[in-house]
Amino acid sequence: MPAFVALTKQEDLETTYRGSFAEWAAGLSLEQYLEREDAIAARDFSVRRTTWALVESSEILASCETYERPCLYKQGENAVVVGKAYSVASVFVPEQHRRKGYASSMMAQLRDHLQSLSGVVVSNLYSDVGPDFYGRLGWKLFPHVELTLPARIGPEPHVRWLMLKDLKDTAARDFEAMTMKMLNNAPAGTIALPPSFSNYDWHVARTLHYAKAFAVPAPTNFGALHKSGDFIVWAHDFGTAKQLNVLRLQATSAAGASELLKAAAVEAHGSDLTKVVIWNPSETVSEAASHIQDSKEHEMTKSLPSLWAKDDIKVANWCYSERFCWV
């Protein structure tokens, strides 16, 4: 009978990395891929990472990772509480063990484990196998719109560029703003997974590793701030996708949204990337993007955002479902 366990030995963790290399390397060599995993593991965000596996006779039949992170939950009409969320990543089954139910068994046991933990509100993941597989296990599909803009050279946008060190204050202010907006405007049952500096730092670590691996200049701008207070945070994907991934975009003004989108397009062009990608843009951002030539908005077919909630939690809405939620 396979056992559901947390992997702690480095050799077991490396076995999972080597197994998933062919599918998730995104242009890296095996050595570079293993170095990427070591680089990610060294970041503060990964302190709360656990690698789970279904194991039988010391053989890993399936594996996945969870990252513990904060969750905001609108409890009733007058309170926003901070609980725990677990982001699920890297669900993988070796080729020789597929179509035997191991992934389903592992995810069901992970779900039951999360159900047993104190303080847990939700778990999120991003499905590349459609909505049905994870839906049957309790992770329900949520809105999934992707906006893309072409990278382009243009006039210098009217923004202040944000470096990595600036993102600490950006994340702290955003946490407070999210909490207040949920308290004042969101219906009961709304949840959010607010970004933290360690979350942004984790994404930047991936960027810098790929920049080194592909011998491209390491970027120094990881976002921009408009005079209105609107802001954007991004990470560069120098792998096979070659795109600028917008992690967070807060824009309440048309002018702010327009200038921040320009900033992202200019940054993408300057980094030799082909496009800017934004998940679940707000109406203000979508309207600003509609005035940009060759911008496109469509439903996502991969990385579908899905959410599981603990039995006593009734989720009515997942707000701020942006790229920073992905791991």
Side-chain angles (χ1 to χ4, degrees):
M1 181 74 174
F4 176 68
V5 299
L7 299 180
T8 57
K9 296 181 179 178
Q10 183 59 34
E11 56 264 36
D12 290 334
L13 297 174
E14 186 168 314
T15 295
T16 67
Y17 303 154
R18 288 179 178 275
S20 63
F21 160 72
E23 297 200 25
W24 295 330
L28 298 176
S29 68
L30 175 59
E31 181 180 6
Q32 290 169 333
Y33 183 70
L34 295 177
E35 289 174 350
R36 186 196 77 175
E37 293 304 309
D38 287 342
I40 290 172
R43 310 316 298 172
D44 286 347
F45 190 65
S46 296
V47 169
R48 295 169 297 280
R49 181 179 74 173
T50 303
T51 300
W52 304 94
L54 204 63
V55 177
E56 186 172 46
S57 301
S58 300
E59 185 173 9
I60 297 172
L61 308 177
S63 61
C64 67
E65 297 171 343
T66 57
Y67 288 78
E68 181 189 323
R69 64 195 304 168
C71 171
L72 297 175
Y73 176 58
K74 180 72 175 287
Q75 192 172 63
E77 296 298 330
N78 301 308
V80 174
V81 299
V82 180
K84 296 177 184 177
Y86 283 83
S87 293
V88 181
S90 305
V91 178
F92 182 76
V93 178
E95 180 68 34
Q96 68 272 25
H97 296 310
R98 293 177 184 173
R99 294 170 291 279
K100 298 178 181 178
Y102 293 139
S104 295
S105 175
M106 176 183 68
M107 294 302 295
Q109 292 183 73
L110 173 62
R111 176 198 63 210
D112 294 346
H113 171 71
L114 297 179
Q115 181 67 40
S116 72
L117 297 179
S118 175
V120 174
V121 178
V122 294
S123 167
N124 73 306
L125 56 78
Y126 289 83
S127 173
D128 287 330
V129 294
D132 296 340
F133 174 76
Y134 292 108
R136 289 193 297 269
L137 293 161
W139 278 267
K140 303 299 177 59
L141 184 67
F142 272 73
H144 48 290
V145 174
E146 181 175 89
L147 170 65
T148 61
L149 316 171
R152 59 175 39 138
I153 194 168
E156 188 73 11
H158 300 292
V159 298
R160 179 170 72 84
W161 300 103
L162 297 177
M163 302 173 67
L164 178 60
K165 63 182 178 62
D166 299 316
L167 300 186
K168 184 169 290 187
D169 287 341
T170 300
R173 290 194 302 269
D174 198 22
F175 183 93
E176 296 301 323
M178 279 188 182
T179 303
M180 291 307 298
K181 287 178 182 177
M182 287 179 62
L183 183 62
N184 295 327
N185 303 319
T190 296
I191 69 102
L193 309 180
S196 62
F197 175 71
S198 65
N199 179 204
Y200 288 148
D201 174 70
W202 183 89
H203 284 277
V204 169
R206 292 173 63 94
T207 286
L208 297 179
H209 180 75
Y210 276 91
K212 179 181 177 182
F214 297 135
V216 300
T220 57
N221 295 332
F222 295 102
L225 175 67
H226 186 255
K227 63 182 180 180
S228 64
D230 294 341
F231 67 92
I232 187 172
V233 179
W234 57 58
H236 309 65
D237 185 344
F238 293 115
T240 53
K242 296 197 177 303
Q243 62 191 35
L244 190 74
N245 293 322
V246 173
L247 304 178
R248 174 83 173 103
L249 176 47
Q250 173 61 33
T252 57
S253 68
S258 178
E259 290 301 315
L260 294 174
L261 293 178
K262 289 178 185 176
V266 168
E267 177 69 19
H269 183 273
S271 301
D272 200 27
L273 303 174
T274 61
K275 60 184 176 180
V276 178
V277 179
I278 304 167
W279 285 358
N280 292 318
S282 67
E283 290 183 8
T284 302
V285 171
S286 292
E287 170 61 22
S290 70
H291 300 288
I292 298 175
Q293 186 177 0
D294 297 325
S295 68
K296 299 177 182 178
E297 193 168 305
H298 57 88
E299 285 195 350
M300 297 159 60
T301 58
K302 291 188 175 182
S303 296
L304 301 178
S306 306
L307 199 72
W308 166 88
K310 205 168 182 179
D311 284 349
D312 58 342
I313 301 295
K314 305 302 180 184
V315 174
N317 181 40
W318 177 5
C319 62
Y320 309 109
S321 174
E322 301 176 50
R323 185 87 183 211
F324 66 83
C325 296
W326 176 93
V327 292

